[in-house]
Amino acid sequence: MKLTAIGIISLLVIALVACQSEDQLEFNRYYTSGKVLYQSKCQNCHGDNGEGLSALIPPLTDAGYLKTNKKQLACIVKYGLNAPITINKKAYYNKMPLTDMAPVEIAEVLTYVNNSFGNKMGVITTNMVEEDLKGCK
Amino acid sequence: MKKLLGGAILLLFYSACNSSGNKQTLPIYGERNPVTKTINGQTVTDTVYHTIPPFKFINQYGDSITNKSLQNDIYVADFFFTSCPSICPVMHRNMLNVYNQFKGDNDVKIVSYSIDPKHDSVNVLKDYATKLGVTGNSWYFLQGKKEDTYKLSESYLVTKPQEDAKQMFIHDGYFILVDKQQRIRGTYNGTDPKEVDQLIADIKTLKAEPNQQNAK
C-alpha cells in the first residue's frame, strides 16, 4: 500500500518536471537573473517588497498601471521617468534616473517586477524589449 | 531535576545580562584631551571631548538653524542629497523608523545636511520633506555653503563627501548620534536596518543618562 503511494507520487513528480516546458524554463531564467538585477539596481529606491518610499518613490504593486503601460516599461527603465503619475490611487511626481541597462537585462528585471509583489504578467523577452524601445518618446 | 537546574542557570544568565544592560552608558567618540586647571589652589585634570563645532544653516522652512538651536537636543545627523540615486533612499527609509519612534519627543531631533545645496534649495528640501511624510520640527533638512557642509562633515567623523567626474556625490551612509553636550556617542550604518534598530535602542539608553536630563 505504502509502496504504491510512493510510486504514484514519484510518477507525479517526474510528470511535473517533464511538464516544465520550454516556456517555463525561459521564464525561470529571466526571473532568476531579474531578481539579482532588481536587488542591485532598483531595490534601494523601490524597496525590498516593491513598496516604494512614502510619496517620493512609487510602489511597483499597481498591477493596473503596469498592465496599461506594459509597452512603456522598458522605456521607463532605460530612460527614467519624470512625469506626474498615479499609482495605487496616489499621485507621484518625481524623477527616476535613467539606467544603462542592456535590453536583455531590462527584459530580465521587468520579468521579475511583473511577476513579484503580487503581480502576475508572465515573461517579458529581450525581443519584446527591443521592440518596445523603438517606441520610446 | 536536571531541567530545573538548567532553567535556574539560564535565568541567572538572563538577569545578569539584564542588569548590566540597564546600567549601560554609551561610549564617547573622537579625540580627547586632558586639560589641567588650577581651581582654589588645587590642580585638577579634566577631559575635554571632541564636540561638533559651531555652524549655521537654513532648514526646510527657511529658518536659520545653528549649533545653539540644538544644544539641548539629542540628535541624529546624516549627510544626503535629494536627487541621490544610490544609498539615500535606503538611509531615509530607515531614518523614517527613527522619526516615527521619536517624533513626539521634544528631546530628540534628526538633522540631515544636504551636500548638494546648489540643487537642494529650501523649496526643494521642503518638497522632499513633505513627500517623505515629515512635518513639524523634529526632522530638519539643512542646507548651507557647500564648503561649510563638507568641513562640518569631518567633525562628525564621517568620510568627507567627494564629487566624481560625472559630478555625482560620493558619500558614506552613516548616522551619527550626538548628545546634548554636542559629543558623538555612536555611529551607525544607515543602510542597515539592524544597525538602525540599535541606534533607536541607543537613543533610549542615552536619554536615561543623568547628564542628558537637563530641563529645557
Side-chain angles (χ1 to χ4, degrees), chain A:
Chain A
M1 188 55 213
K2 238 184 184 171
L3 264 177
T4 11
I6 290 173
I8 288 172
I9 289 172
S10 25
L11 264 175
L12 269 172
V13 169
I14 290 168
L16 254 172
V17 172
C19 272
Q20 250 208 355
S21 59
E22 278 291 296
D23 286 355
Q24 187 64 36
L25 284 177
E26 181 184 45
F27 175 88
N28 289 352
R29 215 161 6 92
Y30 276 102
Y31 186 90
T32 313
S33 315
K35 182 173 184 171
V36 177
L37 282 166
Y38 181 83
Q39 284 164 348
S40 67
K41 306 251 180 191
C42 325
Q43 186 163 305
N44 61 331
C45 284
H46 288 286
D48 298 10
N49 302 304
E51 76 273 19
L53 175 58
S54 302
L56 278 173
I57 299 163
L60 298 173
T61 54
D62 188 337
Y65 177 91
L66 294 176
K67 273 206 187 88
T68 318
N69 296 281
K70 193 171 175 195
K71 291 203 159 307
Q72 285 300 315
L73 297 181
C75 301
I76 293 177
V77 172
K78 183 156 173 84
Y79 297 108
L81 189 66
N82 188 12
I85 50 171
T86 307
I87 300 294
N88 292 340
K89 302 201 174 76
K90 263 179 72 183
Y92 293 86
Y93 188 9
N94 236 304
K95 193 168 173 221
M96 169 166 154
L98 52 79
T99 63
D100 50 3
M101 291 163 80
V104 53
E105 293 175 307
I106 297 177
E108 286 162 352
V109 83
L110 283 178
T111 298
Y112 177 71
V113 167
N114 286 351
N115 296 283
S116 304
F117 323 131
N119 306 318
K120 210 165 175 48
M121 286 164 57
V123 71
I124 300 218
T125 63
T126 312
N127 280 344
M128 287 155 81
V129 165
E130 277 167 346
E131 219 25 63
D132 290 345
L133 285 177
K134 286 182 198 152
C136 292
K137 284 170 236 147

Side-chain angles (χ1 to χ4, degrees), chain B residues 1-12:
Chain B
M1 187 55 212
K2 244 190 192 160
K3 254 192 196 155
L4 214 82
L5 206 74
I9 289 174
L10 262 174
L11 206 77
L12 215 92

Side-chain angles (χ1 to χ4, degrees), chain B residues 19 104 129 134 142 146:
Chain B
S19 62
V134 173
L142 300 185
K146 191 157 92 181

Side-chain angles (χ1 to χ4, degrees), chain B residues 65-82:
Chain B
I65 299 296
T66 68
N67 51 305
K68 284 230 174 73
S69 338
L70 296 169
Q71 69 186 358
N72 275 316
D73 294 314
I74 289 168
Y75 71 92
V76 183
D78 75 352
F79 292 83
F80 86 115
F81 57 112
T82 62

